[in-house]
Amino acid sequence: ETDWHDCLLDLGISSLTSGITNTLTIGSGRGEIFGAWKGLGIDQQGHNLGHMKQPDNPIWIKIRQYNSRMLVRIMEALDSVPEGSGSMMDNTLIVYTSNNADKQHTSGNNWPVMLLGNCGGIFKSGCLTQVEGKRPINSLYATLLNVAGQNVDRFNMSDQMAKKFDDSTGPLQEILA
């Protein structure tokens, strides 16, 4: 599967740098019930990986290092493409997160997200931002939609749900420059 990921990443980078698309979504493939990471020397299969302890686990360290190398490949490729007075990476935002937050069958209370790039100065960069209170992942999506020109206060939540699960509405001001 790592061969698939590597080829798909090359196709994705080519699509971005040639202008075929300006959006790329990469899934790790771990969501497949029988998916594996044999290219990294990992024999355990997909679903069971989510049920093992992740911190300091050598299997998860290998997977995250591989994913990090993929991120670096994207960033270096985009940084090599001139765009405006800088590079394509200067005008890009990469959103990197887990598909299940802090653990398998998560409640989503602790959902780390890494934002790489600043989308032409729109997002804060070079810092750690911890959002206090209740601001679910939906608030991040609402922020991304606002930056893309869609004026929304919430994503994927009714007014009633938003009041129950979110301390506020609209973009996460903590991550905007």
Side-chain angles (χ1 to χ4, degrees):
E1 289 177 347
T2 51
D3 290 345
W4 300 346
H5 297 312
D6 292 338
C7 289
L8 290 172
L9 180 63
D10 289 339
L11 286 171
I13 290 170
S14 295
S15 297
L16 289 170
T17 57
S18 68
I20 291 174
T21 187
N22 62 2
T23 304
L24 177 63
T25 302
I26 300 174
S28 69
R30 215 181 118 273
E32 295 292 328
I33 190 81
F34 297 110
W37 294 92
K38 291 181 182 170
L40 301 178
I42 298 170
D43 293 324
Q44 273 89 1
Q45 302 242 288
H47 186 78
N48 294 330
L49 289 171
H51 287 282
M52 56 176 59
K53 181 180 165 252
Q54 293 184 22
D56 301 320
N57 183 323
I59 290 172
W60 277 100
I61 290 170
K62 281 184 184 180
I63 292 170
R64 290 198 174 103
Q65 286 174 340
Y66 174 75
N67 289 338
S68 294
R69 286 191 301 274
M70 291 179 77
L71 286 170
V72 168
R73 282 178 54 200
I74 293 170
M75 293 172 68
E76 287 177 345
L78 297 181
D79 200 40
S80 72
V81 177
E83 190 173 88
S85 62
S87 72
M88 188 179 248
M89 188 62 211
D90 293 325
N91 297 303
T92 295
L93 179 72
I94 298 172
V95 180
Y96 178 77
T97 187
S98 169
N99 62 340
N100 61 0
D102 55 332
K103 62 182 177 180
Q104 184 79 346
H105 306 294
T106 184
S107 66
N109 290 332
N110 182 13
W111 203 310
V113 176
M114 191 166 34
L115 303 178
L116 305 165
N118 63 21
C119 199
I122 295 171
F123 291 90
K124 290 179 185 174
S125 61
C127 62
L128 169 70
T129 303
Q130 184 167 334
V131 178
E132 300 297 331
K134 294 189 304 186
R135 294 302 316 260
I137 191 75
N138 307 66
S139 299
L140 174 63
Y141 298 150
T143 305
L144 297 175
L145 285 168
N146 272 268
V147 167
Q150 298 296 312
N151 188 17
V152 297
D153 285 334
R154 62 191 180 287
F155 172 81
N156 198 31
M157 284 187 169
S158 67
D159 281 334
Q160 182 179 1
M161 290 294 280
K163 289 175 184 168
K164 180 178 178 182
F165 291 105
D166 199 339
D167 288 342
S168 187
T169 57
L172 292 167
Q173 295 301 319
E174 299 92 336
I175 64 173
L176 297 174

